[in-house]
Amino acid sequence: MLVVMKRDATDADIGAVIAKIEEMGLRAVPMPGAQRTAVCILGNQGPLDPSTFRVMNGVKDAIPVSKPYKLVSRESHPEASRLQIGGIAIGGGGTVLMAGPCAVESLEQCRAIAAAVKAAGAVVFRGGAFKPRTSPYAFQGLGEKGLEILAAIREEFGLLVVTEAIDHDIIRPVAAAADIVQIGARNMQNYSLLKAAGRCGKPVMLKRGMSATVEEWLMAAEYIMSEGNPNVILCERGVRTFADHSRNTLDLSAVLAVRGLSHLPVVVDPSHAAGRRDQVIPLARAAAAIGVDGLIVEVHHQPEKALSDGPQSLYPEQFEQLANEITELSKLNRIG
């Protein structure tokens, strides 16, 4: 249930509602909005009587929430969320560009790529310090050394950093080093990791699992938010289908569906969807045209020598071309 407060409700009114919810053995999550505050009730096993709250001072209405994902749903938060991260706004207007290599390989490699992507318009640097790989013999990342390199890139170039936490044992050092903690597709339903991400104190980018439905994706986001972290970004990166013309199938219809169901910002990863360099720019254009809040793209200055995902990484000049096109394309259609 969502208890919607009046515009002129006082802090005492809101506090009384929270106290009432907690007296019932339930959990109250205040959700401040642009015009009024709402209080989401979690933990009830059955329907609640709206009149319990409607008679309280400062309460405008008490509305049952039908979706199983309470905090993620637009029913509880009708306005699109706008996340402020280190001076960068994600959600509610414009397409934020995030770019960098699949894996952090060396300081020299990251410096070369960071200089190029920043010059082209990227504001977030992506790079994996820890790499979950299908083969146990493939490059697994530099680990904590990679985190040190990412910190150095932030310091030198003034870019925000997004990098992946692959299990709950390493989420603390990742959260300490990153501005945005990424939960990868393989871990979308790793519930202990999702809970840890909800307590990590940093914004979280949650990638859709390769076989996950939209509801499963949103329920995974609910795990993070239910631990007290409201700063969640959803990332569509393609799902596994019968197709063999690309690595995955980019599901832009899911982006449209999610924007109607949830208030959370949505970004798209065309690199992991395509798996092929020649498809990345067209897919990124399509994503920008439907109004996504951001793009996260793999870029490498020497992709033929990359230790991970070279075939899908754009050359810096290709990323510059893409960035120049995105500015105009993102104006075509903003989804509310």
Side-chain angles (χ1 to χ4, degrees):
M1 178 170 286
L2 188 70
V3 182
V4 181
M5 307 302 295
K6 295 177 181 177
R7 292 188 184 185
D8 60 354
T10 65
D11 290 343
D13 294 334
I14 297 169
V17 169
I18 293 172
K20 181 65 175 179
I21 294 168
E22 292 175 346
E23 285 174 11
M24 299 168 67
L26 303 174
R27 183 179 168 197
V29 180
M31 304 181 70
Q35 298 182 345
R36 54 171 52 92
T37 293
V39 182
C40 189
I41 303 175
L42 303 179
N44 53 302
Q45 299 301 310
L48 299 173
D49 183 359
S51 64
T52 302
F53 302 98
R54 286 173 178 163
V55 298
M56 297 183 70
N57 289 337
V59 173
K60 182 177 186 293
D61 202 357
I63 306 168
V65 178
S66 61
K67 302 298 184 186
Y69 37 88
K70 310 299 184 185
L71 300 173
V72 169
S73 173
R74 276 194 185 265
E75 288 183 295
S76 61
H77 195 295
E79 302 165 358
S81 288
R82 186 177 178 88
L83 275 57
Q84 294 287 339
I85 308 172
I88 303 301
I90 301 178
T95 304
V96 173
L97 292 179
M98 312 176 187
C102 176
V104 174
E105 300 168 13
S106 68
L107 178 59
E108 293 73 21
Q109 169 235 20
C110 286
R111 290 187 76 252
I113 298 170
V117 299
K118 180 177 181 179
V123 293
V124 181
F125 187 77
R126 61 144 297 150
F130 298 88
K131 295 300 301 178
R133 305 296 299 278
T134 301
S135 170
Y137 310 113
F139 177 61
Q140 304 289 314
L142 297 179
E144 294 200 17
K145 176 62 176 176
L147 296 179
E148 294 173 6
I149 291 172
L150 290 172
I153 293 299
R154 181 202 293 109
E155 180 69 21
E156 180 175 355
F157 293 95
L159 295 166
L160 300 184
V161 167
V162 57
T163 192
E164 183 174 355
I166 60 174
D167 59 53
H168 62 276
D169 291 331
I170 64 167
I171 195 165
R172 286 188 179 181
V174 169
D179 299 287
I180 303 170
V181 175
Q182 177 182 306
I183 303 297
R186 291 174 173 86
N187 274 315
M188 191 206 80
Q189 290 179 307
N190 182 340
Y191 299 119
S192 62
L193 179 58
L194 296 178
K195 290 179 180 179
R199 299 188 296 268
C200 76
K202 290 292 181 70
V204 176
M205 178 184 293
L206 177 66
K207 287 199 165 187
R208 183 184 180 188
M210 62 185 71
S211 300
T213 65
V214 165
E215 181 166 304
E216 289 168 340
W217 187 17
L218 295 178
M219 289 302 297
E222 187 80 4
Y223 265 90
I224 298 169
M225 293 189 70
S226 69
E227 293 294 326
N229 190 345
N231 298 315
V232 178
I233 304 162
L234 299 171
C235 180
E236 162 61 30
R237 45 80 70 196
V239 291
R240 180 169 291 172
T241 67
F242 54 80
D244 60 4
H245 57 270
S246 62
R247 181 175 178 178
N248 295 288
T249 299
L250 183 62
D251 189 0
L252 292 182
S253 64
V255 174
L256 296 172
V258 165
R259 292 297 293 268
L261 294 168
S262 175
H263 58 90
L264 297 177
V266 186
V267 305
V268 163
D269 179 347
S271 302
H272 278 91
R276 297 174 40 168
R277 187 176 301 114
D278 64 319
Q279 294 182 1
V280 172
I281 291 179
L283 291 177
R285 290 187 194 123
I290 67 166
V292 296
D293 297 301
L295 292 167
I296 180 165
V297 182
E298 291 186 353
V299 179
H300 202 294
H301 64 309
Q302 295 178 314
E304 67 282 355
K305 297 181 179 179
L307 299 179
S308 177
D309 286 349
Q312 67 196 35
S313 299
L314 297 181
Y315 287 95
E317 56 269 26
Q318 291 177 307
F319 179 72
E320 182 180 9
Q321 172 197 338
L322 173 62
N324 290 336
E325 295 173 351
I326 291 306
T327 301
E328 294 303 316
L329 284 169
S330 64
K331 297 177 183 176
L332 293 179
N333 185 21
R334 294 302 307 164
I335 308 168

